[in-house]
Amino acid sequence: MEGTIYSIIPALIMLVLVITTRKILLSLGSGIIIGALFIHDFNVLQAVKEIWYVFYEIFVSEGAPNTGNIQLIGFLLLLGIMTAFLQASGGSRAFGDWMMKRVKTRRGAQLMTGVLGLIIFIDDYFNSLAVGQIARPLTDRHKVSRAKLAYYIDSTSAPITVISPISSWGAYIIGILGGLFAANEITEYQPIEAFIWMIPMNFYAIAAVLLVFIVAYFQFNIGPMRTHEKRAMETGELLNPEQNTVAGDLGDVFKPNQNGKVYHLFIPILVLFVATVVAMITTGIQATDGNATILDAFANTDVNKSLAIGGILAVLTAFIFHLVQGKPKANSMKIFVEGTKTMLPAIYILILAWMIGSVIGTLETGTYLANLVNDSSIGVSYLPLIFFVIAAIMALSTGSSWGTFGIMLPIAAEVMSNTNIELLLPALAAVLAGAVFGDHCSPISDTTILSSTGAGANHIDHVLTQLPYAILAAVVAILGFLLLGLTGQIMLSLAVTLVFLFGIVFVYRTVLKSKTAE
């Protein structure tokens, strides 16, 4: 069944179960079991061995510890502990009080969250978790639902890093482009030049980021988000009361220290930011034997190790603040334990997401989808649009933008270099855009999981509330790629994309107002 149409069945079953049952662990577990059975032709014993093997490989790979995964899990635990200290110290409450005096409206709180997402562009993981820590005290005070906060975080993480050359994503993509251009003897562009040219062609990323600010400024609440926002504003309930699997939320476990100051929150987060960025640059330089530009450093950085280093230093900083605070204050051991417990739901989801990603990889789902492009006889002008759609489906199924980049960018480069070199960059940009769109829709995406974790939102609530916005941005992006393929005009296609985005929002708001008036 590997590499055939049957390879997409486990992913489809998992996605259907997520939407119908809203039970993420059950859905992921079902997909893993069905996929393992498919791999071994329904031999139950071999399927059980396969499930154990993919679980074991998360922690041990080729006889050695899988340090990357272990470090990311460790960072999540450190983040939970840091969050517990920030709350117990009274830093979160003090920051909320301080910001309430300066940001006095719900609109302002939401716009500030969007701006933070633009500023923290170094890495999507770091963006997802850091923005949540900074913005959550303020958005909570202004009764912004956690689902909306998760949407803001998710839609300003990957979309920003994928169009930023100085980021882990940008450096990774530029590195891939260099290899592709050499392999296909493409001399028209240098990798960094090609990346910069592709920025205005990434219609989905641009539309997704712009939509964040439209939603924040105009209170453009559509689909399930309307329910979450209405409940938050009317009752003050920021979470869906029917959902109790929420990562990163301590509720009323600790009574904030009455001596809490703004710097009790701000300095640990600043330490996290500075230490992580310095570690990313340092590990990147070390990987290139000390001969590296800033771009080379980000291309070769060890993100998970850097996050772990930043997390350790941030927790130590928060712990020291806690030790020197006046009494009464919470027990330190209880803070460590409760902070760790808050991250367990996210870690369970992440581990199962990695497992189903491995199973889907063995089934060669991505290879099957990629072959659909090579075997098609569609006109060259439509290829950017087709690459967008296929990349989106692949990222949705596998939960991996980077995996999609690795499979689809070489295919796009090979196809376009042999058909129409003028559409090479539009096709590559379409792959990047489609991968981010699929990532936004996928419940097994790392970034989606970490965004809900950073916001302290229920994971499925985040997936379902973000989906209408992601689809809206994708619809206008499709129009843009269709026009770009037919005309080759970048700015015209971008302008049409944005005009349609504003047009749809305007029409929706007009219809909604007329219905409300009736």
Side-chain angles (χ1 to χ4, degrees):
M1 296 184 182
E2 289 86 345
T4 68
I5 191 171
Y6 299 106
S7 66
I8 67 174
I9 292 176
L12 286 176
I13 291 174
M14 181 268 300
L15 293 171
V16 170
L17 284 174
V18 164
I19 295 171
T20 55
T21 69
R22 297 174 60 89
K23 298 183 183 298
I24 183 66
L25 299 181
L26 171 66
S27 304
L28 290 172
S30 299
I32 292 165
I33 293 170
I34 294 169
L37 289 170
F38 273 32
I39 291 171
H40 295 286
D41 297 324
F42 296 93
N43 183 313
V44 176
L45 181 60
Q46 291 300 317
V48 171
K49 289 182 178 179
E50 179 72 22
I51 292 170
W52 164 250
Y53 177 73
V54 296
F55 174 77
Y56 178 78
E57 275 214 321
I58 291 174
F59 303 97
V60 179
S61 179
E62 298 180 356
N66 193 331
T67 54
N69 289 347
I70 294 171
Q71 285 165 348
L72 181 57
I73 292 173
F75 174 71
L76 286 174
L77 294 174
L78 289 168
L79 182 73
I81 294 168
M82 186 185 77
T83 302
F85 274 112
L86 298 183
Q87 182 164 326
S89 70
S92 296
R93 189 180 69 175
F95 178 76
D97 292 338
W98 182 75
M99 287 301 297
M100 284 290 285
K101 297 175 182 177
R102 290 157 179 80
V103 181
K104 299 183 178 181
T105 64
R106 290 183 88 249
R107 177 181 293 168
Q110 293 172 73
L111 289 171
M112 190 205 74
T113 304
V115 171
L116 285 171
L118 297 182
I119 294 172
I120 304 176
F121 57 84
I122 297 298
D123 179 71
D124 60 322
Y125 283 10
F126 184 64
N127 178 300
S128 298
L129 297 166
V131 173
Q133 292 299 306
I134 299 170
R136 196 196 307 175
L138 180 62
T139 54
D140 281 0
R141 291 294 188 92
H142 282 290
K143 298 181 180 180
V144 177
S145 66
R146 293 285 181 81
K148 179 170 268 192
L149 175 59
Y151 160 67
Y152 289 146
I153 293 170
D154 207 353
S155 291
T156 53
S157 55
I160 289 297
T161 52
V162 80
I163 59 176
S164 172
I166 305 299
S167 70
S168 56
W169 282 46
Y172 171 73
I173 293 165
I174 291 168
I176 291 179
L177 294 180
L180 295 182
F181 291 172
N184 291 279
E185 299 181 350
I186 297 169
T187 59
E188 287 85 353
Y189 310 99
Q190 293 299 316
I192 182 66
E193 175 192 11
F195 184 90
I196 292 172
W197 272 106
M198 286 192 292
I199 291 173
M201 300 183 210
N202 198 324
F203 302 136
Y204 177 79
I206 294 171
V209 172
L210 184 58
L211 192 55
V212 163
F213 291 93
I214 291 174
V215 171
Y217 188 83
F218 294 107
Q219 297 302 294
F220 183 58
N221 301 319
I222 59 177
M225 190 71 81
R226 288 179 61 83
T227 302
H228 285 264
E229 281 291 275
K230 183 178 179 182
R231 181 181 61 245
M233 287 186 286
E234 292 180 355
T235 69
E237 291 182 321
L238 305 179
L239 293 162
N240 185 348
E242 298 177 0
Q243 299 292 333
N244 55 18
T245 306
V246 178
D249 193 31
L250 287 161
D252 298 320
V253 174
F254 304 114
K255 291 184 178 180
N257 192 300
Q258 299 302 310
N259 300 313
K261 304 295 182 183
V262 172
Y263 68 80
H264 288 138
L265 177 132
F266 180 72
I267 291 182
I269 291 176
L270 181 63
V271 168
L272 176 64
F273 179 81
V274 173
T276 300
V277 173
V278 170
M280 288 175 69
I281 295 172
T282 302
T283 56
I285 292 174
Q286 290 173 344
T288 55
D289 297 324
N291 300 314
T293 64
I294 189 70
L295 192 61
D296 293 331
F298 278 107
N300 294 279
T301 188
D302 188 332
V303 174
N304 291 345
K305 181 178 180 180
S306 302
L307 287 171
I309 292 171
I312 290 170
L313 294 177
V315 167
L316 286 174
T317 304
F319 178 59
I320 291 170
F321 282 153
H322 174 73
L323 289 179
V324 300
Q325 267 192 308
K327 295 184 178 181
K329 57 185 178 183
N331 179 273
S332 297
M333 184 55 66
K334 184 178 181 181
I335 294 175
F336 274 99
V337 171
E338 295 298 331
T340 299
K341 286 165 60 176
T342 62
M343 286 296 122
L344 294 181
I347 291 171
Y348 298 152
I349 295 171
L350 191 60
I351 289 173
L352 290 180
W354 282 335
M355 290 177 67
I356 196 169
S358 177
V359 168
I360 289 171
T362 302
L363 284 170
E364 299 180 5
T365 303
T367 302
Y368 167 72
L369 293 171
N371 288 336
L372 291 179
V373 178
N374 280 331
D375 296 340
S376 67
S377 57
I378 298 170
V380 174
S381 298
Y382 298 101
L383 283 177
L385 172 59
I386 298 303
F387 279 120
F388 175 81
V389 173
I390 295 296
I393 296 172
M394 188 180 298
L396 171 65
S397 303
T398 63
S400 173
S401 293
W402 284 34
T404 302
F405 296 157
I407 294 172
M408 290 302 299
L409 286 175
I411 292 173
E414 182 180 356
V415 170
M416 301 317 298
S417 63
N418 290 301
T419 53
N420 187 346
I421 195 66
E422 293 182 0
L423 289 178
L424 171 66
L425 296 188
L428 296 176
V431 169
L432 300 181
V436 175
F437 168 51
D439 183 278
H440 274 170
C441 298
S442 177
I444 62 173
S445 158
D446 289 359
T447 311
T448 306
I449 294 167
L450 295 179
S451 294
S452 55
T453 301
N458 177 268
H459 181 59
I460 296 303
D461 282 342
H462 167 47
V463 172
L464 297 180
T465 51
Q466 177 166 259
L467 196 58
Y469 297 106
I471 291 173
L472 173 55
V475 167
V476 297
I478 285 171
L479 294 174
F481 284 118
L482 178 60
L483 188 60
L484 182 59
L486 293 173
T487 68
Q489 299 296 314
I490 299 172
M491 300 316 295
L492 174 63
S493 303
L494 177 60
V496 169
T497 299
L498 300 183
V499 167
F500 267 91
L501 178 62
F502 278 105
I504 292 171
V505 172
F506 176 77
V507 170
Y508 182 89
R509 281 173 54 82
T510 302
V511 171
L512 185 63
K513 284 182 179 179
S514 64
K515 287 185 176 180
T516 303
E518 292 175 359

